C-alpha cells in the first residue's frame, strides 16, 4: 500500500520524540538537510512499526520453542537497509539505531555496514575489479552471510572487519564486535541482492527491510554536492585516499564526480540496486529536497 507523508505521520500515535536537535546534527550525513520535523513525521511512525514487528517476532520465537519443547532462546531481529550511494541510507540507519535502542523492549541495537565486507583493495586490484568497487562481486558475500547467520543463531560474540572511508580500504587487524544484540541493523548497497542458485542470500535472514528511494537525477545531484563538501573536508586529510581531488579546481572536480557517478555509481544503481527495491518490506520515497514524500509498505 502507498501512503502520503501526511497519512504516514498520523501513524506515529503517541510515540515520543527521544532525539534532540544537537543529537540529530551528529547523526545526519554530509549535506543532508534532515530536521526534527522529518524525524517526527517519518521516523517515529517507522520505529513504532518496527517495535510492533520486533514484538511479533519474539512471540513467534516463543511459540516455536513451545512447540519444539526446548528452552526459551532469544533470537536477534535483523533489519536490512538498502539504497543507492548518496541517497541517505546511512543517515536512516544511524537514526533508527539511535531511536530503536531508546525503546525499553530492545536497548541493545547494533549497526553494521556492508562496507566492512568489501574485499581489500589488494584483492580487488588482483582481480581487476577495483573500478567496480560497490558492485556485488566486490563483496565477500560468504563472509557477510556467515556473519549475519551467526548473529541470528545467537552467538555471544560475532566479529566484522572495519572499513575506513578515509583510507578507502579495509583496516587490517581491526574488527567490530557485535555482542548478542536485540536488533542488528545491516546497511548497504546490495543487502537485498538475491543469492546465486543453491546458496543463501544475506536478506534470507532479515526480519524486515527498508529501501531508501529517489529519482536517479536527484541522487546524482546529491552525490556531486556531497563530493564538493568532501573536497573541503575529508579529502584534505593527508591520509585520505582521495587527497589529490582536494587540489582540483571546482570545474575539474565537478567533471570527475559526474564521470564517477555515470560510470560506476549510476551503473551499479540501475543494474544491481534498483532491481532489488521490490524485495523490500518498506520503501521510503524522497523528493528533490531529500524529504520523504511517500511511503510504500508491503502488507504481507
Amino acid at each position: 500500500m502507498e501512503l502520503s507523508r501526511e497519512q504516514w505521520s498520523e501513524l506515529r500515535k503517541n510515540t515520543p520524540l527521544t532525539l534532540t536537535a544537537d543529537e540529530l546534527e551528529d547523526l545526519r550525513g554530509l549535506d543532508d538537510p534532515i530536521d526534527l520535523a522529518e524525524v517526527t513525521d517519518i521516523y517515529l511512525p517507522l520505529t513504532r512499526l518496527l517495535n510492533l514487528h520486533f514484538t511479533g517476532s519474539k512471540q513467534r520465537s516463543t511459540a516455536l520453542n513451545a512447540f519444539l519443547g526446548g528452552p526459551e532462546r532469544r533470537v536477534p531481529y535483523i533489519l536490512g537497509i538498502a539504497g543507492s550511494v548518496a541517497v541517505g541510507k546511512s543517515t536512516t540507519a544511524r537514526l533508527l539505531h539511535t531511536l530503536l535502542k531508546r525503546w525499553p523492549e530492545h536497548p541493545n541495537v547494533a549497526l553494521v555496514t556492508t562496507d566492512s565486507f568489501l574485499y581489500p583493495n589488494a584483492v580487488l586490484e588482483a582481480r581487476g575489479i577495483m573500478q567496480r568497487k560497490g558492485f556485488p562481486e566486490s563483496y565477500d558475500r560468504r563472509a557477510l552471510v556467515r556473519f549475519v547467520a551467526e548473529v541470528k543463531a545467537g552467538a555471544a560474540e560475532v566479529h566484522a572487519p572495519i572499513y575506513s572511508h578515509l583510507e578507502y580500504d579495509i583496516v587490517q587487524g581491526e574488527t567490530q564486535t557485535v555482542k548478542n544484540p536485540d536488533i542488528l541493523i545491516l546497511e548497504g548497497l546490495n543487502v537485498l541482492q538475491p543469492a546465486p542458485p543453491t546458496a543463501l542470500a544475506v536478506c534470507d535472514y532479515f526480519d524486515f527491510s527498508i529501501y531508501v528511494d529517489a529519482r536517479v537525477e536527484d541522487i546524482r545531484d546529491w552525490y556531486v554536492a556531497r563530493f564538493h563538501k568532501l573536497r573541503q573536508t575529508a579529502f584534505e586529510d593527508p591520509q585520505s585516499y582521495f587527497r589529490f581531488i582536494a587540489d582540483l579546481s571546482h570545474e575539474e572536480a565537478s567533471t570527475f564526480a559526474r564521470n564517477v557517478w555515470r560510470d560506476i555509481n549510476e551503473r551499479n544503481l540501475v543494474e544491481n540496486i534498483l532491481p532489488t527495491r521490490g524485495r523490500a518490506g518498506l520503501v521510503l520515497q524522497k523528493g528533490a529536497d531529500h524529504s520523504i514524500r511517500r511511503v510504500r509498505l508491503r502488507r504481507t
Side-chain angles (χ1 to χ4, degrees):
M1 62 183 300
E2 186 169 302
L3 300 99
S4 67
R5 181 187 180 95
E6 292 73 23
Q7 291 170 319
W8 178 256
S9 66
E10 290 174 0
L11 300 177
R12 170 193 175 186
K13 301 300 182 184
N14 61 347
T15 305
L17 176 61
T18 58
L19 193 72
T20 67
D22 287 342
E23 289 174 321
L24 178 59
E25 182 68 26
D26 292 335
L27 292 171
R28 66 185 179 186
L30 195 65
D31 210 37
D32 190 332
I34 189 170
D35 56 20
L36 286 179
E38 184 86 349
V39 175
T40 300
D41 289 347
I42 302 300
Y43 290 95
L44 294 188
L46 181 50
T47 58
R48 176 173 175 251
L49 172 64
L50 291 171
N51 187 59
L52 291 170
H53 265 266
F54 175 84
T55 302
S57 176
K58 286 182 63 178
Q59 291 171 344
R60 288 195 302 272
S61 178
T62 298
L64 180 59
N65 287 330
F67 172 73
L68 295 173
E72 183 70 22
R73 185 174 71 89
R74 186 163 66 90
V75 180
Y77 183 92
I78 312 293
L79 170 64
I81 301 178
S84 170
V85 168
V87 78
K89 65 184 180 303
S90 296
T91 297
T92 294
R94 289 191 295 267
L95 266 173
L96 290 177
H97 176 246
T98 299
L99 292 170
L100 287 171
K101 68 183 180 182
R102 293 179 180 179
W103 284 75
E105 291 86 352
H106 32 75
N108 184 7
V109 181
L111 170 60
V112 174
T113 73
T114 57
D115 288 345
S116 295
F117 294 91
L118 284 161
Y119 285 115
N121 287 352
V123 174
L124 297 177
E125 289 169 353
R127 297 184 179 184
I129 56 172
M130 189 65 181
Q131 293 303 311
R132 291 180 65 81
K133 194 169 188 176
F135 284 67
E137 65 269 26
S138 66
Y139 293 89
D140 188 342
R141 191 190 65 81
R142 288 191 179 92
L144 174 58
V145 171
R146 184 168 57 248
F147 168 81
V148 176
E150 290 178 2
V151 172
K152 193 71 172 177
E157 288 189 4
V158 186
H159 303 280
I162 290 178
Y163 182 81
S164 169
H165 287 276
L166 182 67
E167 299 175 13
Y168 197 59
D169 203 357
I170 298 293
V171 181
Q172 296 299 318
E174 294 189 21
T175 59
Q176 174 183 357
T177 302
V178 174
K179 298 183 177 181
N180 199 15
D182 298 307
I183 298 175
L184 170 67
I185 300 173
L186 184 68
E187 175 256 311
L189 300 173
N190 295 297
V191 295
L192 295 176
Q193 198 76 27
T198 74
L200 283 171
V202 67
C203 59
D204 290 329
Y205 294 94
F206 291 173
D207 293 283
F208 196 74
S209 57
I210 298 168
Y211 186 96
V212 184
D213 194 24
R215 294 172 65 247
V216 174
E217 295 80 6
D218 290 334
I219 306 174
R220 177 200 61 212
D221 293 343
W222 300 338
Y223 175 81
V224 173
R226 187 182 72 173
F227 188 88
H228 282 294
K229 286 289 182 67
L230 287 169
R231 283 182 62 232
Q232 301 163 7
T233 53
F235 292 171
E236 291 188 338
D237 191 310
Q239 300 301 315
S240 174
Y241 180 88
F242 294 104
R243 176 64 185 85
F244 71 95
I245 293 173
D247 297 326
L248 298 179
S249 69
H250 184 87
E251 292 74 18
E252 290 172 331
S254 294
T255 299
F256 183 91
R258 291 193 183 96
N259 289 343
V260 170
W261 171 259
R262 183 195 63 224
D263 297 338
I264 300 175
N265 295 314
E266 183 175 354
R267 185 176 174 187
N268 193 20
L269 171 59
V270 173
E271 293 179 3
N272 300 302
I273 303 167
L274 193 55
T276 69
R277 179 177 57 188
R279 301 168 65 87
L282 181 139
V283 178
L284 298 173
Q285 295 182 321
K286 287 189 168 188
D289 62 353
H290 258 290
S291 66
I292 307 296
R293 300 293 181 81
R294 292 192 173 276
V295 177
R296 293 170 57 201
L297 175 64
R298 180 179 291 170
R299 299 189 63 169
T300 56

